[in-house]
């Protein structure tokens, strides 16, 4: 596939995106193989060893209950990964379907769907997520649903715009002339051609999703203790910011690094896939 | 010749793109005399527009670069001028009109302001004087009610009107050379003929030399005195319009003339040039037209012919005319 | 001779009005009369040219015939059947017989589909029996594409080759009528000739009927048997090619023919340009549409629009100059 190798080449040319990509790969590997990297249990409490600074036993120190920060960070990556990927996948899927329907059919359906997204977009994303969790109750499952739900309107809007621009092209008219049904036109032509936009926005959304899930947990609405989640870890460490700043610093840096990496990769993908730069 | 105003010698312009190096113009030579109308004819990718942009040094660098050659305007080499000196020439002594008049005009200023601005910048005259001259110019390009037109914004005008305004702007500082890049391609036939008529009138009225760049042989025949044909970045033939249309020398020119349907002829089938223009990344080794030429000889595939002068001030880049026939293979 | 020909497609008083918004906030709805009551017949096996300048409604007419647009008013009969009254399902079997070749070889091909898939798609979606691969390869050969292009993507091809792909796709379903919407105007001169020849060969070989939409009079003259001239949504003249080009009747047709720059420096003509610009087809004044640019405009032209009359057998003109007949 000539197109794909070209995109890859262009992507790799951008150093910042490459670094972001490497960080994300490490993040994913750590999340998957976490249990093999550490023999400890993230929930093991050791009250004799609370608030340790980094030392030989606890490379990144311990928290208020003496649990090993590194272990919790590794297991936290797992939860973060599961929450962000699942919720973004769900949100993108629904957003894609709604966006395609609105963009392709237009008219009344489009109006209804887009006015609904307008209403949803009027709320700040986090506020919406908080409201949903407040209704559904906290927990991993509900956090995922909340994040998925609030990313739907964003994706739907973007997809709709892309679909409208593709719909005007002659090859879609050609589909109609040769007798393709709407369903085939959408599946075979509209969706594949809007995919690059969807991929870029999904990547950018992953960063936002991680941020939101951390924020929810930080506020005590997301993942509940004792599960190790980065936002929750940050929240716990907040009380001892003055005395043991490292405890807050570590999950904070982890969140920042991963979110930033997703942003960089998203930007890199956008440039690599941008059709305006293609063929020129 | 003493009245030569522009001399282009061995111009070479390339673009560094992701896929590799594109030599868009490679070895273009021509002279332009005062008041002459020269047509540069070629298909897309032949390098005709890049030639024009190179003359005005409007090639964006990077990815583009004018790598060698000379562009002598009244004896001075434009390629050696500073950017500031070049800016004084552009729009003032050499000006240009483009194919798409809408994108060349600024949508947020009135037409009057855009015309007068050129003169204020280049000739440092007062606003009042500039506006008076702008009205004259609008009259010159055949727009009725010029005072009203001055106050219009580009979007209020039709395509033909916009192109007239572009011509007015280009002529504002009484340039010595006007370069017109496909000036009528975006227009409808009836409007095109209006603009052609206007250009013919202006040509007789003003002392401006015109370089018209086009792929439309009809337009060329109506307007040009001399013609340069380009193919794959090379000038392949030069001559006066009449002889080129009567006795085309280069096989490409011949093919091009044969392949257009003519309104006053009844042919059952068109004679075509086989094949397609070679990709700029994959140019043939010898003559660039060798992949499509029906007179191909052995030497054509091996060595690129020189751009040689023949009698009657004609030039051609083809082995057929260099006594190379003994190499027929 | 005309009556011997079989009518293939009859267009009857076809109208397509688009709603456009007025300038003010609460202003009235305005209509753009892209196609405003045109009627003509396409006979089996002929090439009917439809010419006019941009905005005259020729492309819209083409799209109405292949049912890419639903008209505001009017009827289209294909082999005697009123195809506009059919449901989508009923129309399916006619759809295969009326195909289209598009103008822009770049946007008319899906960039993510291989050539083989693109050409094979009509066969697949219409569940044509037999070896699709083999059929696609035959089609590719027919339009002058090499078999090894089968798995390549459109971006690897030049405009001319892309247009060949578009032609092959239109041919795949063995159509009877092909609406060709400016099929060569986006192509380079030397490539135009190749595609024109290809289309003529295919017409002969498969006994196709073309509705050939173009703004290029020279190409139309070369390709077509009869020519219809459109101006601002209406037909102004329709005649056999030779009649139209040798003895044009309507002032607009005359202007159109005079405007073509002839590629011969010895036939430099005094460029006799039409006056003024094409008016917008929103808010047309009453009377003849060409009045603002016509040199022979009379009083009556400003009030009542002339009818399209048959002034000689097969020669229709919409102009008061020929009304006495």
């Amino acid at each position: 596939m000539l197109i794909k190798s070209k995109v890859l080449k262009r992507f790799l040319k951008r150093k910042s995106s490459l670094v972001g990509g490497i960080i994300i790969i490490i993040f994913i590997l750590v999340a998957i193989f976490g249990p093999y990297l550490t023999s400890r249990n993230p929930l093991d409490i050791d009250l004799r060893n609370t608030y340790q600074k980094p030392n030989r036993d606890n490379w990144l120190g311990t928290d208020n209950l003496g649990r090993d920060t590194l272990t919790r960070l590794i297991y936290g990556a797992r939860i973060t990964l599961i929450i962000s990927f699942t919720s973004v996948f769900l949100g993108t899927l629904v957003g894609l379907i709604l966006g395609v329907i609105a963009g392709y059919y237009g008219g009344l359906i489009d109006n209804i769907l887009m006015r609904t997204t307008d209403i949803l977009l009027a709320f700040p994303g986090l506020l919406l997520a908080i409201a949903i969790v407040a209704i559904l109750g906290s927990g991993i499952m509900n956090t995922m649903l909340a994040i998925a739900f609030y990313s739907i309107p964003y994706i739907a809007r973007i997809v709709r715009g892309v679909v409208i621009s593709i719909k005007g092209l002659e090859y879609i008219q050609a589909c109609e002339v040769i007798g393709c049904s709407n369903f085939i036109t959408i599946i075979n032509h509209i969706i594949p051609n809007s995919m690059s936009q969807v991929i870029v926005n999904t990547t950018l959304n992953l960063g936002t999703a991680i941020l939101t899930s951390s924020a929810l947990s930080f506020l005590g609405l997301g993942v509940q203790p004792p599960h190790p989640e980065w936002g929750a870890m940050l929240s716990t460490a907040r009380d001892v910011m003055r005395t043991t700043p490292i405890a807050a610093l570590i999950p904070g840096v982890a969140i920042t690094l991963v979110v930033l990496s997703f942003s960089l990769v998203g930007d890199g993908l956008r440039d690599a896939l941008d059709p305006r730069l293609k063929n020129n | 010749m003493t009245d030569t105003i522009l001399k282009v010698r061995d111009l070479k312009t390339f673009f560094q793109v992701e896929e590799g190096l594109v030599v868009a113009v490679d070895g273009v030579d021509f002279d332009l005399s005062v008041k002459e109308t020269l047509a540069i004819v070629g298909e897309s990718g032949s390098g005709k527009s890049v030639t024009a942009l190179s003359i005005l040094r409007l090639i964006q660098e990077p990815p583009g670069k004018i790598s060698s050659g000379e562009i002598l305007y009244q004896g001075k080499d434009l390629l050696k001028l500073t950017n500031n000196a070049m800016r004084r020439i552009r729009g003032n002594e050499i000006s240009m009109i483009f194919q798409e008049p809408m994108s060349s005009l600024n949508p947020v200023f009135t037409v009057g302001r855009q015309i007068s601005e050129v003169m204020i910048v280049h000739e440092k005259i007062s606003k009042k004087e500039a506006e008076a001259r702008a009205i004259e110019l609008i009259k010159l390009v055949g727009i009725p009610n010029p005072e009203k037109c001055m106050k219009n914004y580009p979007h209020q005008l039709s395509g033909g009107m916009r192109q007239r305004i572009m011509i007015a702007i280009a002529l504002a500082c009484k340039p010595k050379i006007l370069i017109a890049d496909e000036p009528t391609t975006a227009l409808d036939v009836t409007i095109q003929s209006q603009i052609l008529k206007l250009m013919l009138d202006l040509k007789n009225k003003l002392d401006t030399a015109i370089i018209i760049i086009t792929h439309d042989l009809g337009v060329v025949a109506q307007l040009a005195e001399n013609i340069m044909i380009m193919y794959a970045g090379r000038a392949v033939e030069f001559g006066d319009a009449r002889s080129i249309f009567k006795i085309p020398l280069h096989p490409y020119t011949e093919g091009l003339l044969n392949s257009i349907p003519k309104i006053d002829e009844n042919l059952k089938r068109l004679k075509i040039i086989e094949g397609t223009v070679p990709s700029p990344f994959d140019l043939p080794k010898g003559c660039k037209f060798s992949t499509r030429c029906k007179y191909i000889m052995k030497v054509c595939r091996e060595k690129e012919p020189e751009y040689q002068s023949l009698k009657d001030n004609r030039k051609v880049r083809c082995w057929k005319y260099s006594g190379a026939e003994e190499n027929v293979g | 001779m005309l009556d011997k020909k079989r009518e293939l497609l009859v267009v009857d008083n076809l109208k397509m009005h688009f709603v456009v918004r007025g300038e003010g906030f609460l202003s009235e709805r305005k209509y753009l009369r892209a196609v405003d009551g045109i009627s003509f017949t396409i006979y089996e096996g002929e090439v009917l040219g439809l010419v006019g300048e941009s905005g005259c409604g020729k492309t819209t007419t083409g799209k109405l015939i292949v049912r890419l647009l639903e008209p505001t008013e009017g009827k289209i009969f294909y082999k005697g059947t009123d195809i506009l009254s059919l449901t989508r399902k009923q129309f399916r079997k006619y759809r295969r017989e009326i195909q289209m070749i598009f103008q822009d070889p770049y946007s008319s091909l899906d960039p993510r589909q291989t050539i083989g898939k693109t050409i094979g798609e009509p066969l697949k979606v219409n569940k044509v029996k037999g070896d699709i691969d083999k059929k696609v390869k035959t089609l590719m050969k027919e339009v002058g594409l090499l078999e090894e292009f089968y798995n390549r993507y459109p971006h690897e091809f030049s405009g001319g080759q892309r247009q060949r792909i578009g032609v092959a796709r239109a041919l795949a379903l063995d159509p009877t009528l092909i609406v060709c919407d400016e099929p060569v105007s986006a192509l380079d001169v030397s490539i135009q000739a190749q595609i024109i020849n290809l289309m003529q060969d295919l017409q002969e070989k498969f006994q196709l009927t073309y509705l050939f939409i173009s703004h290029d009079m020279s190409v139309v003259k070369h390709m077509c048997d009869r020519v219809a001239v459109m101006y601002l949504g209406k037909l102004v003249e329709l005649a056999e090619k030779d009649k139209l080009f040798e003895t044009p009747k309507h002032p607009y047709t005359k202007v159109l023919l005079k405007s073509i720059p002839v590629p011969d420096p010895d036939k430099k003509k005094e460029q006799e340009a039409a006056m003024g610009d094409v008016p917008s087809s929103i808010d047309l004044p009453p009377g003849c549409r060409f009045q603002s640019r016509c040199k022979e405009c009379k009083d009556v032209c400003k009030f009542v629009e002339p009818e399209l009359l048959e002034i000689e057998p097969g020669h229709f003109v919409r102009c008061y100059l020929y009304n006495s007949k």
Side-chain angles (χ1 to χ4, degrees):
Chain A
M1 287 283 291
L2 204 70
I3 302 179
K4 279 192 183 145
S5 68
K6 251 189 192 170
V7 169
L8 191 68
K9 215 169 114 193
R10 242 181 259 146
F11 179 79
L12 294 179
K13 242 191 211 164
R14 239 179 91 137
K15 292 285 170 310
S16 58
S17 312
L18 185 62
V19 172
I22 291 170
I23 293 175
I24 289 175
I25 290 170
I26 292 172
F27 165 68
I28 292 174
L29 289 178
V30 165
I32 294 171
F33 298 107
Y36 302 102
L37 297 178
T38 168
S39 53
R40 303 192 186 201
N41 188 326
L43 305 180
D44 275 353
I45 295 172
D46 181 1
L47 288 174
R48 286 162 303 172
N49 272 325
T50 58
Y51 296 129
Q52 290 294 312
K53 295 228 164 65
N55 56 45
R56 202 182 296 162
D57 277 345
N58 308 99
W59 290 357
L60 293 177
T62 59
D63 69 357
N64 59 340
L65 298 173
R67 296 172 294 203
D68 181 44
T69 306
L70 181 63
T71 310
R72 287 181 69 76
L73 203 66
I74 289 170
Y75 278 83
R78 256 184 160 196
I79 295 180
T80 306
L81 182 85
I82 291 170
I83 292 181
S84 56
F85 275 66
T86 319
S87 57
V88 168
F89 175 76
L90 267 177
T92 304
L93 191 69
V94 178
L96 179 71
I97 293 169
L98 294 181
V100 166
I101 290 173
Y104 187 77
Y105 291 98
L108 188 65
I109 308 179
D110 181 27
N111 246 324
I112 294 171
L113 285 174
M114 283 306 114
R115 294 302 81 77
T116 317
T117 60
D118 282 344
I119 294 168
L120 291 177
L121 286 172
F123 297 99
L126 188 57
L127 209 61
L128 193 66
I130 290 173
I132 297 166
V133 174
I135 297 166
L136 299 175
S138 54
I140 291 184
M141 202 55 179
N142 291 342
T143 308
M144 288 194 289
L145 283 178
I147 296 171
F149 187 74
Y150 99 91
S151 57
I152 290 171
Y154 290 94
I155 292 286
R157 286 242 124 190
I158 288 159
V159 171
R160 173 182 175 267
V162 177
V163 169
I164 286 175
S165 70
I166 294 174
K167 204 180 119 188
L169 295 176
E170 280 181 347
Y171 66 83
I172 300 299
Q173 297 179 1
C175 287
E176 187 155 355
V177 173
I178 60 173
C180 290
S181 62
N182 287 334
F183 183 72
I184 290 182
T185 308
I186 289 174
I187 296 290
N188 285 354
H189 301 278
I190 301 255
I191 291 185
N193 281 291
S194 32
M195 240 20 230
S196 60
Q197 290 276 346
V198 173
I199 290 171
V200 169
N201 284 290
T202 306
T203 316
L204 293 171
N205 263 2
L206 279 168
T208 324
I210 292 172
L211 215 52
T212 314
S213 88
S214 304
L216 285 173
S217 306
F218 182 83
L219 295 171
L221 292 167
V223 179
Q224 295 300 308
H227 295 295
E229 205 275 353
W230 293 354
M233 286 165 70
L234 200 61
S235 175
T236 322
R238 191 180 40 169
D239 303 332
V240 291
M241 276 272 259
R242 292 257 173 84
T243 50
T244 329
I246 187 97
L249 205 60
I250 286 162
V253 167
I255 293 169
T256 314
L257 214 56
V258 173
V259 171
L260 182 71
S261 301
F262 275 114
S263 266
L264 289 174
V265 170
D267 285 348
L269 279 175
R270 184 175 50 215
D271 288 357
L273 291 165
D274 195 323
R276 268 169 303 174
L277 296 173
K278 229 188 252 172
N279 304 327
N280 267 337
Chain B
M1 268 197 290
T2 48
D3 60 346
T4 304
I5 187 164
L6 185 78
K7 252 188 206 181
V8 174
R9 287 288 170 273
D10 196 32
L11 182 68
K12 188 169 176 180
T13 304
F14 62 76
F15 292 88
Q16 181 69 53
V17 294
E18 208 176 302
E19 290 87 351
L21 194 72
V22 176
V23 183
V25 173
D26 192 356
V28 165
D29 281 349
F30 67 89
D31 291 352
L32 184 74
S33 330
V34 177
K35 291 200 74 173
E36 177 187 342
T37 303
L38 169 75
I40 302 181
V41 179
E43 299 179 277
S44 50
S46 61
K48 56 189 194 304
S49 289
V50 177
T51 303
L53 293 173
S54 301
I55 294 171
L56 280 171
R57 280 186 37 200
L58 287 172
I59 300 288
Q60 216 174 48
E61 198 182 327
K65 191 168 169 42
I66 301 170
S67 66
S68 65
E70 280 178 333
I71 300 172
L72 299 166
Y73 169 69
Q74 294 185 320
K76 51 183 182 246
D77 190 349
L78 296 184
L79 296 178
K80 294 205 175 85
L81 291 184
T82 61
N83 283 338
N84 266 332
M86 193 61 217
R87 211 166 287 140
R88 276 195 293 278
I89 285 185
R90 234 181 263 145
N92 189 17
E93 295 183 49
I94 308 177
S95 61
M96 184 158 180
I97 50 180
F98 296 91
Q99 174 175 354
E100 193 34 78
M102 192 60 204
S103 49
S104 326
L105 288 168
N106 189 334
V108 298
F109 294 129
T110 60
V111 161
R113 179 163 170 190
Q114 295 189 50
I115 303 179
S116 27
E117 201 165 73
V118 193
M119 292 181 279
I120 295 171
V121 168
H122 282 297
E123 299 187 3
K124 314 246 168 353
I125 56 175
S126 74
K127 200 177 160 199
K128 251 207 173 123
E129 211 178 322
E131 273 170 9
R133 271 177 60 188
I135 291 178
E136 281 306 305
L137 280 164
I138 297 178
K139 233 184 251 166
L140 181 75
V141 295
I143 296 179
N145 205 347
E147 285 83 5
K148 191 179 157 236
C149 179
M150 285 282 285
K151 296 196 188 74
N152 281 341
Y153 288 91
H155 72 93
Q156 293 169 307
L157 303 171
S158 66
M161 287 294 175
R162 281 185 215 130
Q163 197 55 287
R164 284 171 195 268
I165 296 293
M166 278 309 299
I167 295 174
I169 293 176
L171 294 176
C173 298
K174 305 199 177 72
K176 300 276 185 337
I177 303 173
L178 173 67
I179 303 176
D181 188 0
E182 305 261 9
T184 61
T185 308
L187 305 173
D188 275 321
V189 214
T190 58
I191 310 299
Q192 164 173 301
S193 82
Q194 292 172 5
I195 299 290
L196 285 183
K197 184 172 159 33
L198 171 69
M199 290 188 65
L200 273 173
D201 290 349
L202 290 174
K203 197 180 119 180
N204 297 332
K205 248 185 242 173
L206 309 170
D207 294 331
T208 306
I210 300 176
I211 299 178
I212 178 165
I213 291 159
T214 181
H215 67 275
D216 188 329
L217 291 163
V219 170
V220 172
Q222 299 301 311
L223 220 52
E225 284 138 21
N226 289 318
I227 298 176
M228 178 170 83
I229 311 269
M230 286 188 71
Y231 186 80
R234 274 88 176 149
V236 295
E237 180 163 5
F238 175 86
D240 68 288
R242 197 157 273 125
S243 17
I244 285 209
F245 275 93
K246 270 220 179 83
I247 320 158
L249 296 179
H250 197 280
Y252 174 63
T253 316
E254 185 192 330
L256 209 56
L257 288 171
N258 281 334
S259 65
I260 42 172
K262 290 162 202 81
I263 202 94
D264 47 1
E265 256 177 40
N266 277 319
L267 275 176
K268 196 93 184 57
R269 275 178 71 83
L270 296 172
K271 290 181 199 133
I272 59 168
I273 309 177
E274 295 288 348
T276 50
V277 180
S279 145
F281 304 108
D282 192 21
L283 287 176
K285 187 171 148 240
C287 171
K288 303 305 165 231
F289 190 60
S290 60
T291 48
R292 305 172 74 185
C293 186
K294 57 179 174 183
Y295 304 108
I296 180 135
M297 300 176 284
K298 198 176 160 209
V299 60
C300 303
R301 289 204 190 88
E302 286 156 4
K303 232 174 113 195
E304 181 155 17
E306 293 289 314
Y307 193 40
Q308 53 174 330
S309 300
L310 304 174
K311 60 177 197 255
D312 299 330
N313 192 24
R314 292 192 71 170
K315 285 180 182 169
V316 68
R317 189 191 291 275
C318 179
W319 285 117
K320 259 170 82 188
Y321 304 93
S322 66
E325 282 89 344
E326 55 265 27
N327 289 336
V328 178
Chain C
M1 168 198 165
L2 279 177
D3 1 55
K4 267 190 222 157
K5 288 192 195 165
R6 291 229 323 261
E7 289 178 350
L8 182 69
L9 187 97
V10 179
V11 172
D12 183 23
N13 194 28
L14 201 61
K15 287 185 185 175
M16 184 76 222
H17 296 173
F18 295 101
V19 180
V20 285
R21 237 165 255 177
E23 284 198 0
F25 176 57
L26 285 171
S27 61
E28 262 180 273
R29 278 185 165 191
K30 286 185 177 171
Y31 292 94
L32 185 132
R33 297 164 198 278
V35 176
D36 203 13
I38 60 168
S39 309
F40 59 85
T41 305
I42 304 176
Y43 295 99
E44 225 162 79
E46 75 166 347
V47 181
L48 176 66
L50 190 58
V51 296
E53 296 178 276
S54 53
C56 73
K58 54 189 193 300
T59 296
T60 309
T61 307
K63 285 185 179 169
L64 286 167
I65 290 172
V66 295
R67 279 193 87 177
L68 273 173
L69 293 169
E70 291 300 317
T72 319
E73 220 184 294
K75 290 193 168 89
I76 299 173
F77 297 95
Y78 176 76
K79 292 183 177 166
T81 316
D82 179 2
I83 52 170
L84 293 179
S85 68
L86 301 178
T87 61
R88 225 188 139 96
K89 224 176 174 180
Q90 290 169 319
F91 181 60
R92 278 210 101 148
K93 72 172 189 244
Y94 296 99
R95 166 131 277 164
R96 300 180 49 166
E97 296 184 26
I98 310 173
Q99 288 296 308
M100 186 160 183
I101 297 170
F102 292 87
Q103 171 174 10
D104 179 3
Y106 289 87
S107 75
S108 63
L109 301 177
D110 185 341
R112 290 187 190 266
Q113 264 194 348
T114 58
I115 307 314
K117 262 195 169 164
T118 299
I119 300 173
E121 191 168 27
L123 300 167
K124 221 167 147 190
V125 296
N126 285 286
K127 304 195 176 65
V128 172
K129 287 186 194 86
D131 187 349
I132 289 184
D133 258 23
K134 211 173 130 199
K135 267 193 181 145
V136 170
K137 283 183 178 150
T138 325
L139 280 165
M140 288 175 69
K141 216 162 121 200
E142 213 68 76
V143 299
L145 291 168
L146 300 176
E147 226 174 75
E148 60 253 39
F149 294 166
Y150 191 90
N151 282 319
R152 298 234 206 126
Y153 286 85
H155 71 95
E156 298 170 56
F157 295 95
S158 63
Q161 283 168 315
R162 281 160 169 258
Q163 202 57 310
R164 286 176 197 270
I165 299 166
V167 172
R169 174 176 58 191
L171 278 181
L173 294 170
D174 284 324
T176 314
L177 172 67
I178 300 184
V179 174
C180 316
D181 184 12
E182 305 250 17
V184 297
S185 59
L187 304 175
D188 269 323
V189 189
S190 74
I191 307 300
Q192 272 193 10
Q194 294 178 357
I195 300 294
I196 289 172
N197 279 356
L198 171 71
M199 290 180 64
Q200 283 184 317
D201 293 346
L202 294 172
Q203 195 220 353
E204 232 163 80
K205 187 161 181 191
F206 298 104
Q207 280 142 25
L208 298 167
T209 307
Y210 288 149
L211 174 65
F212 193 87
I213 299 167
S214 177
H215 68 275
D216 188 331
M217 295 299 267
S218 322
V219 173
V220 164
K221 181 166 185 224
H222 180 79
M223 279 289 290
C224 303
D225 301 314
R226 289 191 309 142
V227 180
V229 183
M230 268 184 100
Y231 187 74
L232 288 177
K234 289 222 167 175
L235 286 187
V236 295
E237 187 160 0
L238 174 90
E240 303 252 320
K241 168 179 76 182
D242 293 335
K243 265 193 190 150
L244 191 104
F245 280 85
E246 269 148 41
T247 53
K249 299 287 187 210
H250 197 282
Y252 177 63
T253 316
K254 288 181 190 167
V255 164
L256 210 52
L257 289 175
K258 277 192 187 134
S259 304
I260 309 163
V262 180
D264 184 344
D266 287 331
K267 286 188 190 150
K268 259 186 212 168
K269 40 188 174 187
E270 195 37 47
Q271 291 283 336
E272 199 179 329
M275 302 178 289
D277 285 313
V278 186
S280 142
S281 32
I282 309 168
D283 285 335
L284 279 173
C288 174
R289 277 148 207 259
F290 191 58
Q291 55 173 291
S292 61
R293 304 175 75 191
C294 185
K295 284 186 181 135
E296 303 181 68
C297 181
K298 296 182 283 188
D299 279 347
V300 60
C301 306
K302 289 178 185 147
F303 300 103
V304 190
E305 178 154 46
E307 293 290 311
L308 188 69
L309 294 176
E310 189 165 11
I311 56 161
E312 278 168 49
H315 196 150
F316 298 84
V317 184
R318 185 190 294 279
C319 181
Y320 283 118
L321 291 175
Y322 309 95
N323 241 8
S324 50
K325 263 209 146 181

